[in-house]
Amino acid sequence: FLSHFLLTSLLLPSLRAASLQGEAYVINVGSEAHRWTPKELGITTDLSEINNPENYERKDQQWQWYGHTKLALHHFTKLLAEKLEGERIFVNCVHPGLFGPSTGLLKSLKAGYFPPYYGALGAATNLLAQPFYRSTRSGALAVLFAASPAISQEESRGLWIVPCRGWLMPRWLIQASNILGYLFGQKGVAHHGIYLEPWTTGDRVSPYPGTESDHAYDRAQAERLWAFAEEFLGTKFEI
């Protein structure tokens, strides 16, 4: 998140210059993992907690802390879009989908891990998902859409753009998933409010505003995170 914040602040003069000639776009590549941020923390700016190696070494926490980073990116997207609302700079966050091993993006996870599952359950889920992974070509489409004239024509700002529509995960499936996770030593993987999105896999793309977690709409949390980033990086947005 901090790298995105710093780079965008440095590019803002160039973005403004480009917007005077038409439109400019800021596209943050997010992830459905923003739903799995540690629930007891939400977004934390406690550096001792962020830099605690134990939070990244334990398998049951690794994916949650990755989600923590992505949730921060969602906050940044929404607040920046709001601050630039009067300008022709369109800020949005995009989920490209779930990529397979052929892209190399999940290479380090190996076969025994399928976020947020790991071990035997992760290996089984990963095996079942093989036919549905996205290609790099397909995954790029939603990102390219976020930089297309359709965004400026519709005045789309601060959105979570996904490749296709989704639907709310039914409670029975949530319960079944958690029971299965419990049997493999993984508790509370699924929770109410998760959307099943056919766009996470496969090659069909029809970009659409997605549904974010409730945490993503916490304005007070977003403002605290913004202030933390400016102080930590020693930079300020000239807005």
Side-chain angles (χ1 to χ4, degrees):
F1 152 71
L2 289 173
S3 61
H4 293 69
F5 190 97
L6 178 59
L7 178 61
T8 307
S9 69
L10 295 174
L11 290 176
L12 188 57
S14 297
L15 290 168
R16 282 190 163 133
S19 70
L20 296 177
Q21 305 299 318
E23 294 85 26
Y25 301 89
V26 175
I27 305 165
N28 292 318
V29 179
S31 170
E32 274 298 287
H34 81 279
R35 303 182 190 279
W36 281 281
T37 186
K39 296 182 180 62
E40 69 278 9
L41 294 174
I43 288 291
T44 180
T45 55
D46 183 348
L47 291 179
S48 64
E49 190 71 27
I50 293 173
N51 294 324
N52 183 356
E54 291 184 2
N55 289 329
Y56 305 93
E57 293 173 356
R58 291 160 42 197
K59 287 185 177 180
D60 62 333
Q61 288 292 314
Q62 286 177 351
W63 188 242
Q64 289 184 352
W65 281 95
Y66 174 72
H68 182 270
T69 297
K70 291 301 183 181
L71 179 58
L73 197 56
H74 281 243
H75 281 316
F76 173 52
T77 298
K78 289 185 179 300
L79 201 51
L80 181 61
E82 181 181 316
K83 290 176 179 291
L84 296 175
E85 189 173 5
E87 304 183 45
R88 301 296 292 170
I89 302 176
F90 298 88
V91 186
N92 291 290
C93 197
V94 181
H95 179 51
L98 185 61
F99 293 93
S102 62
T103 65
L105 293 177
L106 296 179
K107 185 177 181 180
S108 62
L109 299 182
K110 301 180 181 180
Y113 200 103
F114 183 92
Y117 305 107
Y118 55 89
L121 183 57
T125 308
N126 183 57
L127 181 63
L128 292 172
Q130 291 297 317
F132 306 103
Y133 280 127
R134 282 194 177 279
S135 64
T136 50
R137 179 183 177 87
S138 171
L141 293 178
V143 179
L144 291 174
F145 174 80
S148 72
I151 294 295
S152 57
Q153 290 169 5
E154 296 294 328
E155 292 288 331
S156 299
R157 303 171 187 268
L159 295 182
W160 171 228
I161 299 174
V162 298
C164 296
R165 289 175 181 262
W167 61 90
L168 190 64
M169 188 175 183
R171 290 185 181 276
W172 68 265
L173 188 55
I174 292 174
Q175 293 173 350
S177 178
N178 284 333
I179 290 173
L180 186 61
Y182 180 79
L183 294 175
F184 284 88
Q186 301 168 53
K187 300 180 180 179
V189 170
H191 53 86
H192 182 66
I194 293 178
Y195 273 71
L196 291 174
E197 316 278 4
W199 41 263
T200 57
T201 58
D203 286 333
R204 296 187 61 183
V205 175
S206 180
Y208 186 81
T211 303
E212 298 168 89
S213 73
D214 292 341
H215 286 302
Y217 297 93
D218 189 334
R219 171 62 186 266
Q221 194 172 78
E223 290 180 338
R224 288 195 299 270
L225 186 64
W226 185 287
F228 165 77
E230 287 191 329
E231 181 179 359
F232 181 81
L233 295 170
T235 186
K236 285 187 177 295
F237 273 83
E238 298 298 328
I239 298 177

